[in-house]
Amino acid sequence: GVHDLDSQRTHTRMETMRRLPRYRTVVRREFTTWIRDTLAPIAPARSGRALHAKVADPSKSNVEPNERPAPDVPSPRTWRLRRPDSGWREYEAKSGSFRHPVGPGGVPITTGAAAAALEAAENERLRLRAAARRDSAIAEKLGEEFSTRTMRSFHSPLRKHLTLDPLISEYSVDSPEGVALMQLAEALIRTPKEAGRYMPARLIRDMLGAGNLDFLSHFGGDKSLLINASSVALSTVRGILPKHVPGGDFFDESTRGLAGKGSDAVLEVGVTRALGLMARKFTMGANIEAAARRAMRAETYNPQRSHSFDMLGEGARTYEDSARYLASYAHAAEAIQAAGFSSPQMSVKLSSLSPRFDELSRRECVPDLSSKLGSLFPVADGPNAFTVFVDAEEQNRLELTLSVVENVIRERAPPRIGVVVQAYGRRAMETLEYLRELAVRYPETKISVRLVKGAYWDAEIKQAQLLGADSYPVWTEKRQTDVSYLACASFLLENSDTLPMPAFATHNARTVADILSMVDGNMDEFTRRGCEFQRLHGMGESFDYCGLPVRVYSPVGAPNDLLAYLVRRLLENGANSSFLKRLAQGRDDLMNVDVLCEREPEVSTVIGTPVVVAEESSGVPAMPRNIYGDTRLSARGVDFEYPNFPAAFAAQKAYGPAFKPLVCTGEDSLAELTARLGTFRPNTAKASDTIRSRAVVLRKAADIVERDSVAMSKMIMEEAGKTLVDAVNEVRELVDFFRFYANQAETHLAESKRLRTVTGESCLLQAQPRGPWLCVGPFNFPFAIVGGLASSAFVAGNPVVIKPHPSTPRCAAALVDVLLEAGAPEGSLEVVVDGPSPEGSRGAREGQSDAGAALVSSGEFAGVSFVGSTRTAAKINQALALNSVEKRAPLARLVAETGGLNVLVADSSALPEQVCDAVLASFAQSAGQRCSSARILVVDNGCKNELTRMIQGGLSAMRVSKNNFDLSTDVGPLISEIAADKARSHCDALESGGAKMLARTIGEDDGALFHPRVYDLNPQPGSDPVAGLNLLEDEVFAPVLHVVTYDGSQAELERVIEAVNRKGYALTGGVMTRCESTKALVTNKLDCGNFYINRDVVGAVVESQPFGGHGLSGNGVKAGSEGYLEQFVAHKVICEDTTAAGGNVELMRTTT
């Protein structure tokens, strides 16, 4: 019986295999007949148009009346990707960068309105191009039919009860329960085995025990059995979990009962099995062999289906990672070609082949990637030849990617190559034009394009804001992306002879209708040209693409590689604007939306020409620098990805200040200055006007610094030894300080505040300058921090004296230069620098006089702002107190920001890649010479081995060099050889005390060049982490990271944090975790001024992240905060009895 049953099943399967190809042909033939009979009367004059016919002018008669172009639509940006007669890297000098474009007439984009208008103008041109190509009547009919079929298929009883689609749609990312399950799945699958049982149990408890989850709300009589069963099961398990209260105490796993531990085990098994189902649904196989077998079976069932394989994985952090990924690609290429597929494809991510895939490392990475990519191509061509597609990545890597593609074609001449183009990028059309020119220049290589919409929109928006761009590199509206996609599709259809076999990746039935309408619904011609549609494996299965050729994008990898890919796909398709989301919600009213129809919203003329301005439905500011609304622009960045930048940087001279500082050769040399300061008297009557005028000066100074940002950056590099990226970031920080303090002064200091009081009285609070102010600055931020100190005291109306670090006097002089150019009153700012000292003094022994000490002890200052060491701050504080005791000087105010033993905590729930990135940035960036740099890493023993390996690999990929003018240098020298010698002595002491070096960069120390190092303070298994911390008492201002390991329990983690707190510092801290209880524990227990979660601990931003600590780390209000300027003014309360003139007139007026 069993044997007969198996035979019957085999026979049925073979029958199905024989019939299915014919069935597909019948379906397509019937659909073609339907198109001919239904749509032929609509546009008979257009039915004979060739597929590759060019659209010369959108204003011709084939454009529907409502799609005619608006007159005088401005051209897109003046930049182009390349000149037709030049190589990829040769640009016109007048072209602008993609992050900082210019409008018509070369006018820079400086307002949100101008940015929105330019974006709208560019998108309108694309809309007109796409609308001119397609037949709107055919598109409407096809869209209606496709949407109806797709909706019917998706909501059929078979799919509703026997597939995962309804469950995935129900628990999507727009519900808290869906987010919790997605995060739990990702966290559990990536938790190291070394973490033991405690971490999975903690994750389950934290994520499902959250108080805002209601799984029973997903239960419903009209929903699938799988949804209802899952909802009841999850609600039951959650009912016996302890509830986590955000901000409350952590849970102790040892106190949990059997029921609780049993529920953890049951749920962990359930999640593991669910991951197995999801892995099968969304990946083709765990390895290429399994994936190839499964794909071959699918192609046998349906000859219209083909596959493109993607080997899942993250970008390479180390050279070992890149070697492993290259071997994986090479093995996959061999297996795919051996499997006998028809026109097989494989996607390659260039970021996985190099840990230095960035524009500043172009000289190194382009030849390296060209060689690696070229090794994957087959030698021979043929009808079923293997094609390697270069995957699209972030927009800042577009130019690098195309450089690699051009290199491979020129040097290797592969038979064919594929390039993925993202339509959400605003340079998508220019990219296609470049690829067409490349195909004409190298006809021996067939270049194919896969058109996608794009997968990193949220990251691109944030990156543009972080970098201070004038424009987003991607479209800010979903509709604009759809328009761009269709315009690019029309280009590919027109140029299918030059760029053969274009692929259109989409799950949107209306998009398919629009593309087919561009060939008048002629599916045979569409197929004959080699065109095809593509969808993701596991998604878009409810639409059959009318029997046309469909290639399935097939991820290959183990479940732990799946989750990062899957989360991204679910975020894309779970968004409210997603076609699949609308499909799952049954929103048939939104299924057949024509994105090419003309709209008539607000019309703007801010760029000189009327254009249609898109609605801000995405919710992002129209301009990346508009993140603070109408109050101010964030500082403008520098576009390192702009190919002309290296040449422009080399030609730019460093800023040379004209201002001459006062050289201190002893107390006598300061007599004239201190005498002048002693004559200062605050004038309450003029205080308001003074503050307003100086706020105007700060804004003008900010504009000047932005104008000369590259020259200023070069000056910082020359004097302080910084790398380019660090120097540019410092210039931007200064600009933010200037604009923010100008706003704050006008808002909080310039206007008198009326205080509440009894009737018949008027009480006003007025700010007035406190008096002469001394700013003693550090070497590590000689422009931004010194400028922040000086500008805050200056805008409050005080005379300011700057005492820079002896190593960086030029930066201080440049600050005064800029402020004077912006209109600062003569004599309002002074710079005092050290000079040769008298023989026998302390300064003589060190080669310099101590101008700072002389200024502090003069007794002429109302306050001192200082950034530096805790010891020096204490000495200044002592000297100011002595001035009051011995010289009857005013009680001067000290605003001090000092260092810290900054801690970053990482547990085994955090993604190792994210932890590695955060650790490297936190301790090695700026050569560890930041007040906020991480000095201590507290790591869970469960993830220590893997994290150590990744950190070592990341350090090995770093470029450490004395030549900080090499744009690819990551870490430059310390400020001096003395500083480097101190760091080396500290490392010797660590090793003598039992610490073990875990990792360091490649190369040897040389004078001031000090290589970043990582030390394990408790290397022996089971050793006490608190005892290891005894090796570290004070801050070491260098890239040395001290690792202490705890056993994974939250009780021991708390003990380590308390030991750190006892050191007395409280500046910055952070935690890398996906456990809510761990996050709550570290957030609440670690004593610090700035705390960061799941990111690095450096790079505080003015206004967004006001910076400063307490304890041994400082005593002032946080720099860049709303209350900061209050420290630099005195307040006068003016109280007047308004009844003195004969009665309470105001009260009498209100009495009836």
Side-chain angles (χ1 to χ4, degrees), residues 660-738:
K660 301 301 181 184
L662 174 63
V663 179
C664 173
T665 57
E667 291 187 10
D668 292 342
S669 63
L670 301 177
E672 181 182 346
L673 172 63
T674 55
R676 176 157 47 90
L677 294 175
T679 64
F680 175 82
R681 296 292 182 270
N683 187 329
T684 304
K686 296 182 178 180
S688 180
D689 292 338
T690 299
I691 290 170
R692 286 194 178 92
S693 65
R694 292 192 176 194
V696 172
V697 170
L698 285 190
R699 290 196 184 93
K700 290 181 179 178
D703 295 339
I704 293 169
V705 173
E706 267 190 347
R707 180 196 67 196
D708 297 331
S709 60
V710 176
M712 300 285 186
S713 299
K714 208 163 190 177
M715 173 191 66
I716 297 170
M717 295 172 71
E718 285 183 354
E719 190 170 52
K722 291 201 169 190
T723 62
L724 171 66
V725 174
D726 286 337
V728 168
N729 288 339
E730 180 167 357
V731 170
R732 293 187 61 208
E733 185 176 1
L734 176 72
V735 171
D736 281 333
F737 271 133
F738 280 1

Side-chain angles (χ1 to χ4, degrees), residues 411-434:
E411 297 173 2
R412 300 275 182 149
R416 56 184 67 200
I417 188 173
V419 179
V420 180
V421 175
Q422 296 168 317
Y424 75 177
R426 290 169 66 175
R427 295 175 292 170
M429 185 62 73
E430 287 88 347
T431 301
L432 292 177
E433 291 171 351
Y434 164 73

Side-chain angles (χ1 to χ4, degrees), residues 1001-1058:
T1001 50
I1002 297 174
E1004 298 299 325
D1005 291 352
D1006 181 11
L1009 187 67
F1010 177 85
H1011 280 263
R1013 295 155 163 84
V1014 179
Y1015 281 93
D1016 190 346
L1017 300 189
N1018 60 324
Q1020 298 303 319
S1023 58
D1024 186 6
V1026 174
L1029 285 172
N1030 292 333
L1031 293 173
L1032 186 63
E1033 289 299 329
D1034 296 313
E1035 178 185 36
V1036 177
F1037 220 58
V1040 181
L1041 184 67
H1042 309 84
V1043 178
V1044 292
T1045 310
Y1046 73 103
D1047 62 9
S1049 71
Q1050 293 183 331
E1052 182 159 294
L1053 176 58
E1054 183 179 22
R1055 196 167 66 88
V1056 173
I1057 290 173
E1058 289 173 349

Side-chain angles (χ1 to χ4, degrees), residues 495-726:
N495 293 278
S496 58
D497 290 338
T498 309
L499 299 173
M501 297 177 289
F504 306 99
T506 180
H507 299 143
N508 192 320
R510 175 59 200 235
T511 300
V512 173
D514 282 321
I515 292 174
L516 290 178
S517 74
M518 293 178 183
V519 295
D520 299 324
N522 189 339
M523 293 192 291
D524 290 334
E525 179 70 4
F526 182 87
T527 305
R528 187 184 68 80
R529 285 281 173 174
C531 303
E532 66 183 20
F533 290 105
Q534 289 195 10
R535 66 170 177 83
L536 297 172
H537 174 66
M539 295 186 183
E541 296 169 318
S542 54
F543 180 46
D544 63 2
Y545 295 87
C546 334
L548 287 167
V550 176
R551 188 177 298 274
V552 179
Y553 187 81
S554 307
V556 180
N560 61 331
D561 295 320
L562 162 70
L563 267 299
Y565 162 84
L566 179 59
V567 168
R568 173 54 52 188
R569 301 287 86 79
L570 292 178
L571 284 172
E572 289 176 63
N573 295 294
N576 287 328
S577 58
S578 162
F579 178 85
L580 294 183
K581 181 63 178 178
R582 294 170 177 175
L583 179 64
Q585 293 174 335
R587 295 293 305 273
D588 50 3
D589 58 316
L590 299 176
M591 295 283 287
N592 189 30
V593 177
D594 184 7
V595 299
L596 298 182
C597 67
E598 188 173 13
R599 293 186 294 172
E600 298 181 359
E602 173 191 359
V603 176
S604 171
T605 59
V606 294
I607 60 173
T609 308
V611 295
V612 177
V613 178
E615 302 97 335
E616 288 191 37
S617 59
S618 63
V620 301
M623 183 181 184
R625 296 170 59 207
N626 264 352
I627 58 177
Y628 300 106
D630 296 330
T631 59
R632 68 179 179 92
L633 289 176
S634 64
R636 192 171 193 262
V638 173
D639 186 4
F640 305 125
E641 294 91 25
Y642 180 43
N644 266 3
F645 178 79
F649 176 76
Q652 175 66 60
K653 292 183 178 180
Y655 185 85
F659 181 82
K660 301 301 181 184
L662 174 63
V663 179
C664 173
T665 57
E667 291 187 10
D668 292 342
S669 63
L670 301 177
E672 181 182 346
L673 172 63
T674 55
R676 176 157 47 90
L677 294 175
T679 64
F680 175 82
R681 296 292 182 270
N683 187 329
T684 304
K686 296 182 178 180
S688 180
D689 292 338
T690 299
I691 290 170
R692 286 194 178 92
S693 65
R694 292 192 176 194
V696 172
V697 170
L698 285 190
R699 290 196 184 93
K700 290 181 179 178
D703 295 339
I704 293 169
V705 173
E706 267 190 347
R707 180 196 67 196
D708 297 331
S709 60
V710 176
M712 300 285 186
S713 299
K714 208 163 190 177
M715 173 191 66
I716 297 170
M717 295 172 71
E718 285 183 354
E719 190 170 52
K722 291 201 169 190
T723 62
L724 171 66
V725 174
D726 286 337

Side-chain angles (χ1 to χ4, degrees), residues 247-514:
D249 291 336
F250 67 91
F251 296 113
D252 185 356
E253 288 85 356
S254 63
T255 63
R256 303 206 59 208
L258 291 176
K261 294 180 179 179
S263 68
D264 292 345
V266 170
L267 195 54
E268 186 179 351
V269 171
V271 170
T272 301
R273 292 189 176 181
L275 284 174
L277 291 173
M278 294 180 73
R280 178 165 180 80
K281 178 173 178 59
F282 293 107
T283 62
M284 189 59 70
N287 54 57
I288 190 60
E289 289 77 13
R293 288 193 297 269
R294 187 177 177 190
M296 184 58 72
R297 288 195 299 269
E299 291 191 13
T300 303
Y301 274 102
N302 181 6
Q304 292 294 98
R305 179 180 297 178
S306 54
H307 292 82
S308 180
F309 297 93
D310 174 25
M311 308 304 293
L312 290 175
E314 301 291 327
R317 262 78 175 176
T318 69
Y319 287 113
E320 291 77 8
D321 287 343
S322 63
R324 186 176 70 256
Y325 283 127
L326 179 60
S328 174
Y329 284 133
H331 172 69
E334 183 179 348
I336 293 169
Q337 294 178 76
F341 288 103
S342 172
S343 67
Q345 295 179 1
M346 179 181 73
S347 294
V348 172
K349 294 182 180 65
L350 294 183
S351 62
S352 68
L353 298 179
S354 172
R356 300 190 62 85
F357 186 38
D358 62 84
E359 189 66 45
L360 294 181
S361 301
R362 166 179 285 272
R363 188 176 55 195
E364 169 190 341
C365 76
V366 169
D368 177 55
L369 286 171
S370 301
S371 174
K372 291 175 178 176
L373 181 64
S375 68
L376 300 175
F377 287 91
V379 177
D381 192 16
N384 294 325
F386 176 65
T387 305
V388 174
F389 267 77
V390 179
D391 229 336
E393 301 190 60
E394 296 85 353
Q395 290 294 299
N396 62 354
R397 290 169 165 170
L398 173 61
E399 315 225 12
L400 272 178
T401 298
L402 294 178
S403 294
V404 172
V405 169
E406 183 175 11
N407 264 18
V408 169
I409 293 175
R410 183 176 60 248
E411 297 173 2
R412 300 275 182 149
R416 56 184 67 200
I417 188 173
V419 179
V420 180
V421 175
Q422 296 168 317
Y424 75 177
R426 290 169 66 175
R427 295 175 292 170
M429 185 62 73
E430 287 88 347
T431 301
L432 292 177
E433 291 171 351
Y434 164 73
L435 291 174
R436 178 181 60 185
E437 294 169 8
L438 203 60
V440 171
R441 193 182 314 146
Y442 302 102
E444 63 276 12
T445 297
K446 298 176 182 177
I447 303 176
S448 298
V449 173
R450 177 192 301 149
L451 183 64
V452 302
K453 291 190 177 177
Y456 307 98
W457 182 83
D458 54 336
E460 295 286 0
I461 294 295
K462 181 178 181 180
Q463 187 71 359
Q465 294 175 354
L466 287 173
L467 295 177
D470 291 328
S471 177
Y472 295 104
V474 294
W475 303 106
T476 57
E477 266 197 290
K478 170 70 165 57
R479 183 187 181 106
Q480 292 173 326
T481 294
D482 292 340
V483 167
S484 173
Y485 186 93
L486 293 176
C488 291
S490 70
F491 179 92
L492 290 172
L493 291 172
E494 294 166 7
N495 293 278
S496 58
D497 290 338
T498 309
L499 299 173
M501 297 177 289
F504 306 99
T506 180
H507 299 143
N508 192 320
R510 175 59 200 235
T511 300
V512 173
D514 282 321

